[in-house]
Amino acid sequence: MSQPTYRLANHTCVVPLVQSWAAWWMTTVPAPASLHVHKSQIPLLKAYLQNPDFHARAAKDPALSGGTFVGISPERAGEVKALLQQTQEAQADRVKMAEALEDFQGWLMEEAKGQSLEPLYEKIPEPLRGLVELAYDYHNRAFLRVMEGGLYRSRYHKPELQSLRLLRLESDSSRPHLFTTPYLMQAGQLDWAVPFSEERISRLFETDLSPRPLGYLRDVLGPAVTSDEQLLPLLTEEPPATYTPWEGAQPRVRYLGHACALVEWKGVTVLVDPVISARPAGGGMTRRTFHELPPRIDYVLITHNHPDHLHIETLLRLRHRIGQLVVPRSGGMMVGDYSIKLLARSLGFQNVLELDTYESLPLPDGEIVTVPFLGEHGDVCQAKSSYVVRAGKQQMLFAADSMCVDDAVYRHMRQNLGTIQTVFMNTEIEGAPHTWTLEALFPKKRDRKLEKNRRCRGSNAAEGLRLLELVGASRLYNYAMGLEPWMENIIGPPSPPEAPRMKESDRLLAELRAKGLGAERLCGPTDLLLES
């Protein structure tokens, strides 16, 4: 009699953590992570310990969504205190590096006014020695260029703090907020201490499509599992879904939620900005989860580094299926303009392509082209790209949160690539402050009054309409609106219909329909067949 085989249950989340905090680039990339732990995580934990009751209440208040409140009950304040102490001990060198980065950069800007920088190298503080270069821009403004590749080989890269937390997802709202609340251990969870680059991670996630006996899973997880009773509630004997390749004459786009879309064309699969969720045990919005995706994903395209687009949790789970991970090119001129390619390599990806504007990759009777992503969108000079995917005569622009702030860019795009029939685009007129996710990268003293109109927004209705006119589009899919409940732990609860961004979306859709163009706002899994 054959042994039963298992895969991870549909309700099982596997969350990558860095010392109990969810992994995203500000907890994982060495230099930003050092600033983040010093200027965000440690102060946040200290603030919580001063008033745990207030933090616990505020974190549950929808009116305070997006605030810096730790959503942990006061009864567990002792565990938070222990985590704070462990963080200060394990990341003391990162804290020293962060202090050196901030202090020396400020000193450098005051001291260097255009003269040779060579004598100033002896002033570089010890935590930065051998890891930074001093440089000027063409206006003689001095800055530090971090040697990022060296940091991944230094003590500031800390894979020993990485782990995977296996947990039962009860509801979408049960997950701690990505930025403000660490994952404390709960009953029924497993904590697997394993660096993200380990091949063993792929062995676990291969069971999403190829279930294995219980002994195999115990061997992969090692000491994290102390008994079968601990592991079995996270598993299922239910076979995975059978994937049927798309063979239609037109490309199929399977919208999976938020900014995530799967393009299928002539045997090739292209996945854009993947954020995939487990299915809550308690029910919730319909979704496609990991065992329902293709066994081979030829290309994954990342538009930019915001964690609702570059989702380490999803990337790790799909790593073994991905042929090429395509990311925007970094300039490396600022600490926050980190290399997504180097981050991906640290996550165990071998085939990472960093494309510049208008570089392309061939598809059967088609191509993928990297095109401009315009607007500040809170990026403060960071790697970002939009993509045009051509499948036969059909061209699709995945614009993410790009804005139409310069008509000439889109005229140039049409001159180079021809008519782009379909546009996937976000609508946002307010957005979070431009420092959303990035506050730790900024100096302590700056003129915040000048920053008030710098927001993480996308196109408004007028800009969206103009963009479609310039590229000759006949249809719009308004996406990346944060309407799916599984995005709540990243970007907060879905916007209500009366929210300004939703009214602006309504305005754009109505204007396009009045002009006879196709216009639809996407929410939840939707199959789209792009006819000529």
Side-chain angles (χ1 to χ4, degrees), residues 477-520:
Y477 292 109
N478 190 203
Y479 81 151
M481 296 293 289
L483 301 178
E484 292 80 10
W486 58 88
M487 302 302 299
E488 184 171 341
N489 74 300
I490 304 175
I491 57 177
S495 298
E498 65 273 14
R501 71 190 309 249
M502 299 304 292
K503 290 183 177 179
E504 194 71 8
S505 171
D506 290 340
R507 186 175 297 114
L508 174 60
L509 297 176
E511 291 189 23
L512 289 170
R513 290 166 185 158
K515 292 177 177 291
L517 303 179
E520 181 180 352

